[in-house]
Amino acid sequence: MRQFLFLFCLFSHAENLKKLSQNLYWHRLLHMKENVSHVDGEHFFLSKEKSAYSELIETLKYIKSEKYHPKYKDHIQCLFPARTKWLEETLKLTLPKVTCEELQWWKNQFNAKGLSLVFSSYYPNNPSSFFGHTFLLVHRDKNPLFDMSIDYAAMGVENVNALFAIKGLIGLLPGIFSIKPYYMKVNEYTRGEGRDLWEYKLKITKNQIEQMLNHLWELTKTTYFDYYFFDENCSYFMLELLEIANSDWSFTHKLPFFVIPIDTIKAIVSEPGVVDKISFRPSFSKKAKAKLALLSSEEKNTFEKILSDKKIKTNNPKVLEALIDQYRLKFFNNHKLDKNDEKFLASLKDVRGTLPPIKEEIKLEGKRPDKSHATSHIELSLGKKFADLTLNPALHKITHSNEGLPPFSHVEILTTTLRYKNDQIRFKESILASVLSLHSYSSFDFDPSWLSQAVINNEKRLQASFDVGIGTSVKKDNYSLYFIPGTRLNISRYYKNTFSLDLALNFGGILSLGSWGKLSLLGSYFLRRKESINKAVFSYYLSRKITLLAQSVFSFNTFPLNKSKESSLSFVYFF
Amino acid sequence: MKALLFILLLTSAFARDKSDGCGLGWQVTKKKTLSATTTRGTTNSVVPPTFGMTTGTIGCAKHGFVKKNKQLIHFVEVNFEALQSDMVNGRGETLSALASLCNTNVNNFVGKYNNLKAGSPSALLAKVRNTVSCI
């Protein structure tokens, strides 16, 4: 009878563990999706099978024992503190006391008082940050610049180029977590790269932050993740860490396939009781612009005069600071100043340095990025005798309304259009990637505007084309004009030599009409070889916001050299 | 003129002495180009000596936290440009943070740009130590 009871207890104990291994939180700790972990490092797993159940058994075995696991030089309690804490609480275990010096030291260093999820705005000049970036910020006691940032990024290439992009797309780059003082990030983002930082402060307890740090320790001590640009990227892991901090939070199921940083911010904002406060840290360039705008017209004149004739005839600290700001911006843009600029900046500083500080603080408002339209959209266009269906999985077209995103920006990937015409549905075009980066012309600091695009077009015949161009633009608050000459390389088997290179003159103007929408005129004129199918194309768009999730676009395309034109009315729905 | 030359030599000597510093360039990295833009090693990609937690400096930090005796120089190196600008203006967030690191009042830095002008982070730190009582 006793043996029977013993076996019975053993059996039901095993049953309980089986059930426990299916616990959602346990799966989160193991980064399991459908019973398979997407952790890629060997040492994260204590069992050979790497299943939720086997990991549970092995973890319990070693945390309950004073012995060390043969594979590791630290005790399992010290290597897997998040698992330990959860199992101890859930199963009400009494575990042997193990001193984890390094872990304890590390957690004490944080001295965590609070936590924010920080979003940095877009930086079109760097392909790996087209879509912004998110990281966690642990708040400590002192000045916020000494808070600690936690960041997940793809490891290791100094030069972000096509190889990096390809490796990132298919998971060949290892991703790692890094921890740094916030002042490093503030310097790098707001000054070095002209990006804003948005801090979303979370409603979270110190215990929850500690559990998150416990898990972060587990990850960094034992493993890495293969970095996938589309789904397992920087922002995805931030959310996974938050889901471990608070078992009630569930964000990752809300995300689309293409996870871009802003989607993760929207996921936390849309959940009630998660975000406590939102703070805005404007970029240095935004602050400089605001300071300049506050100068009186007389001060502005003095400013312009000194900028051109380089004679410092003023004692006005506002004017001097505005001048110094211009040179600092130039330095941040070019990473150095030429000898003359350096000398002049030094003399400006000498003069300003003797004058008292300005008392007034400038308060800046920013457009909240989580209020921008959803990133994927579907567009239905109806024209004379044709209809197009376009799917745009990511980001943002210059012709569309852009709350929360930098104005006059254009980034899109994998936009695919099907055309229904003459009773047939055909693949019309796929824009693999298209970026237009506009920088306002300034004789003081010339920063070129550029575009780059890869398209597969099947309208006349199947052809791939690659555009690259560099030029200039004028960017004001509600309009923008650009002229970007460049080249277009066409690849099609219909060409005699498969390749055909055209010169392209790309130009455009975009006018924001406030709540009436946006009017865009874009054109490309090709100096082309006879057989090329590229001709001039001028497109007119009038887009109008209907709701946050829908817009209408009227477009008119004319191909003057072809003597053909096409107009359509589209409805765009964001999701 | 000779005095100026002497001072320049002195400050450049300080600049060359890397043994005390964290080797962080405050002059941000290479110029961005169309095809191969750099990420400064820290923006969205990191080049660490070991897995995981690092500030990108060697010998100055442990698991991401700057060692206590390097905190001042690390801060000055990263923020050299911003600190000088804040000192010129007599105010600023970075300057206030430096003041708290030195356990002193930020007003002790105001109006002292002439004494705080420096050509390198280590020179700046030396001048800061001369101007305010900073450990």
Side-chain angles (χ1 to χ4, degrees):
Chain A
M1 184 61 182
R2 225 187 272 154
Q3 276 162 322
F4 178 72
L5 276 171
F6 174 71
L7 282 170
F8 181 76
C9 286
L10 204 65
F11 190 66
S12 58
H13 178 64
E15 278 295 297
N16 286 337
L17 287 181
K18 260 258 148 61
K19 229 175 137 201
L20 190 66
S21 74
Q22 283 156 18
N23 182 294
L24 178 65
Y25 191 78
W26 180 246
H27 279 230
R28 283 184 184 178
L29 283 174
L30 297 175
H31 295 264
M32 294 232 154
K33 284 264 138 66
E34 317 199 339
N35 288 312
V36 179
S37 171
H38 60 94
V39 171
D40 299 295
E42 277 299 306
H43 300 290
F44 186 73
F45 302 98
L46 297 173
S47 66
K48 242 189 292 182
E49 301 85 356
K50 301 186 188 179
S51 73
Y53 182 70
S54 58
E55 280 304 298
L56 180 63
I57 299 301
E58 288 296 296
T59 309
L60 278 171
K61 178 172 156 200
Y62 283 99
I63 63 173
K64 285 190 198 172
S65 154
E66 277 168 0
K67 283 209 290 237
Y68 280 46
H69 189 293
K71 247 182 16 176
Y72 306 95
K73 62 178 180 72
D74 293 311
H75 193 273
I76 292 300
Q77 278 187 29
C78 301
L79 275 176
F80 294 96
R83 294 192 200 182
T84 307
K85 183 160 179 223
W86 183 74
L87 287 171
E88 190 178 17
E89 284 171 4
T90 311
L91 295 173
K92 304 207 190 342
L93 302 171
T94 322
L95 297 174
K97 280 265 181 275
V98 180
T99 342
C100 305
E101 258 183 49
E102 221 188 4
L103 168 65
Q104 210 45 58
W105 172 85
W106 185 70
K107 286 197 286 187
N108 290 343
Q109 289 291 304
F110 276 103
N111 192 17
K113 298 280 190 295
L115 187 71
S116 292
L117 185 61
V118 185
F119 173 76
S120 79
S121 59
Y122 313 90
Y123 184 50
N125 273 353
N126 180 341
S128 74
S129 44
F130 278 156
F131 302 105
H133 186 57
T134 53
F135 56 89
L136 287 168
L137 188 63
V138 178
H139 301 299
R140 300 158 96 199
D141 252 330
K142 306 195 292 183
N143 188 303
L145 288 182
F146 299 110
D147 287 342
M148 291 307 280
S149 67
I150 300 170
D151 202 5
Y152 174 75
M155 179 163 109
V157 262
E158 272 289 305
N159 278 326
V160 177
N161 51 24
L163 193 61
F164 174 88
I166 291 169
K167 280 186 170 173
L169 285 176
I170 60 180
L172 281 185
L173 291 173
I176 55 148
F177 286 95
S178 74
I179 293 173
K180 311 190 169 110
Y182 195 33
Y183 59 78
M184 291 184 82
K185 288 250 180 254
V186 169
N187 186 51
E188 183 186 313
Y189 286 107
T190 67
R191 291 190 281 269
E193 293 180 348
R195 294 161 84 169
D196 300 328
L197 291 172
W198 287 86
E199 300 164 17
Y200 293 79
K201 189 140 194 274
L202 305 167
K203 289 202 174 112
I204 193 169
T205 68
K206 287 199 194 144
N207 274 340
Q208 289 170 334
I209 300 176
E210 188 184 358
Q211 178 67 338
M212 185 193 82
L213 292 176
N214 280 336
H215 185 60
L216 185 61
W217 182 260
E218 291 180 344
L219 293 176
T220 49
K221 288 298 267 183
T222 66
T223 187
Y224 62 91
F225 289 84
D226 289 331
Y227 184 93
Y228 288 90
F229 186 71
F230 283 128
D231 53 356
E232 293 179 20
N233 55 33
C234 63
S235 34
Y236 181 80
F237 280 110
M238 296 301 120
L239 290 189
E240 283 202 317
L241 283 177
L242 292 182
E243 288 179 342
I244 290 190
N246 187 333
S247 54
D248 290 334
W249 283 350
S250 182
F251 307 118
T252 52
H253 70 277
K254 286 188 189 178
L255 302 174
F257 174 67
F258 291 103
V259 182
I260 68 170
I262 196 57
D263 288 335
T264 60
I265 297 293
K266 289 178 184 176
I268 63 163
V269 171
S270 64
E271 189 91 4
V274 175
V275 176
D276 198 13
K277 193 168 88 131
I278 302 173
S279 310
F280 175 51
R281 215 175 243 284
S283 66
F284 173 75
S285 70
K286 215 166 238 166
K287 285 197 272 197
K289 231 173 123 182
K291 273 166 82 174
L292 195 58
L294 287 175
L295 292 181
S296 70
S297 48
E298 202 187 316
E299 287 169 335
K300 244 332 207 358
N301 286 333
T302 318
F303 167 83
E304 301 282 351
K305 196 152 184 292
I306 300 176
L307 207 55
S308 60
D309 65 22
K310 304 279 195 292
K311 292 200 168 68
I312 310 174
K313 285 190 189 143
T314 184
N315 257 343
N316 185 329
K318 288 193 187 154
V319 175
L320 290 165
E321 281 189 21
L323 288 162
I324 292 172
D325 285 348
Q326 290 304 301
Y327 282 91
R328 288 186 74 189
L329 283 173
K330 199 171 180 183
F331 172 68
F332 295 141
N333 270 336
N334 306 320
H335 311 298
K336 60 176 173 62
L337 285 178
D338 66 44
K339 286 282 181 223
N340 290 330
D341 286 342
E342 240 182 69
K343 258 174 77 181
F344 188 59
L345 177 58
S347 32
L348 282 169
K349 284 182 172 177
D350 283 338
V351 178
R352 173 66 187 95
T354 61
L355 302 165
I358 296 172
K359 288 281 156 70
E360 298 91 45
E361 291 280 349
I362 299 176
K363 235 329 185 139
L364 280 177
E365 295 273 327
K367 285 206 183 118
R368 268 178 51 184
D370 52 286
K371 291 210 187 274
S372 66
H373 61 63
T375 43
S376 309
H377 65 260
I378 193 161
E379 187 171 331
L380 177 66
S381 311
L382 302 169
K384 191 170 175 187
K385 295 195 193 157
F386 73 88
D388 284 345
L389 185 68
T390 304
L391 177 64
N392 186 335
L395 219 68
H396 176 63
K397 295 171 115 143
I398 200 164
T399 48
H400 292 40
S401 152
N402 57 14
E403 230 175 87
L405 292 171
F408 311 123
S409 58
H410 186 111
V411 179
E412 63 182 305
I413 48 174
L414 297 180
T415 303
T416 303
T417 306
L418 299 174
R419 173 162 284 199
Y420 174 71
K421 188 174 178 175
N422 299 331
D423 280 327
Q424 272 191 322
I425 297 179
R426 284 184 74 200
F427 162 69
K428 179 191 169 212
E429 180 177 76
S430 186
I431 300 174
L432 301 176
S434 173
V435 182
L436 176 66
S437 177
L438 301 182
H439 296 271
S440 214
Y441 175 74
S442 154
S443 59
F444 174 69
D445 176 18
F446 181 59
D447 201 5
S449 302
W450 57 273
L451 64 78
S452 173
Q453 174 166 281
V455 179
I456 296 180
N457 184 288
N458 191 31
E459 264 181 296
K460 294 249 154 55
R461 52 180 183 244
L462 192 62
Q463 165 175 286
S465 55
F466 299 93
D467 286 68
V468 75
I470 184 166
T472 186
S473 65
V474 169
K475 252 171 99 170
K476 301 277 180 187
D477 276 333
N478 49 8
Y479 74 88
S480 163
L481 302 167
Y482 68 84
F483 175 66
I484 301 179
T487 57
R488 174 175 282 194
L489 173 69
N490 306 293
I491 303 172
S492 170
R493 63 190 179 131
Y494 289 95
Y495 294 127
K496 240 186 288 180
N497 302 316
T498 314
F499 297 95
S500 165
L501 192 66
D502 294 341
L503 280 177
L505 300 174
N506 307 294
F507 51 90
I510 302 106
L511 176 67
S512 175
L513 303 167
S515 57
W516 283 98
K518 231 167 155 185
L519 176 67
S520 320
L521 284 75
L522 313 177
S524 295
Y525 183 81
F526 298 100
L527 302 160
R528 78 216 197 282
R529 305 169 74 90
K530 241 189 282 186
E531 47 178 4
S532 165
I533 59 166
N534 299 322
K535 302 192 198 280
V537 51
F538 302 127
S539 309
Y540 304 80
Y541 298 91
L542 177 61
S543 70
R544 177 106 193 262
K545 214 169 81 148
I546 302 174
T547 68
L548 185 63
L549 289 177
Q551 290 187 21
S552 65
V553 183
F554 171 73
S555 71
F556 178 67
N557 297 304
T558 157
F559 308 91
L561 299 182
N562 234 356
K563 293 203 173 76
S564 71
K565 48 185 187 256
E566 199 177 84
S567 58
S568 64
L569 183 62
S570 315
F571 294 98
V572 184
Y573 180 70
F574 296 91
F575 60 93
Chain B
M1 187 58 192
K2 261 199 216 142
L4 185 66
L5 221 59
F6 176 76
I7 293 171
L8 280 174
L9 279 173
L10 205 63
T11 52
S12 60
F14 272 120
R16 246 178 271 132
D17 170 33
K18 285 248 164 78
S19 63
D20 282 63
C22 288
L24 281 173
W26 53 270
Q27 275 180 327
V28 255
T29 56
K30 309 164 222 163
K31 193 179 160 92
K32 47 184 193 279
T33 62
L34 269 187
S35 54
T37 52
T38 66
T39 58
R40 305 158 212 282
T42 46
T43 310
N44 282 5
S45 78
V46 185
V47 189
T50 56
F51 273 142
M53 309 164 274
T54 166
T55 58
T57 67
I58 304 157
C60 272
K62 184 180 174 190
H63 294 326
F65 292 96
V66 183
K67 294 181 181 161
K68 201 138 191 188
N69 65 336
K70 298 283 189 196
Q71 276 173 12
L72 206 46
I73 186 61
H74 190 273
F75 185 79
V76 173
E77 279 187 8
V78 172
N79 293 300
F80 178 67
E81 193 278 336
L83 281 171
Q84 290 271 261
S85 303
D86 279 3
M87 287 167 180
V88 166
N89 293 345
R91 65 170 191 177
E93 189 188 20
T94 321
L95 187 61
S96 302
L98 178 69
S100 73
L101 210 49
C102 279
N103 228 348
T104 185
N105 195 308
V106 70
N107 291 321
N108 293 329
F109 288 104
V110 178
K112 302 231 175 78
Y113 178 62
N114 222 17
N115 299 342
L116 293 167
K117 222 170 21 167
S120 76
S122 39
L124 177 58
L125 185 53
K127 297 206 172 184
V128 166
R129 286 184 165 136
N130 279 339
T131 312
V132 301
S133 61
C134 198
I135 354 88

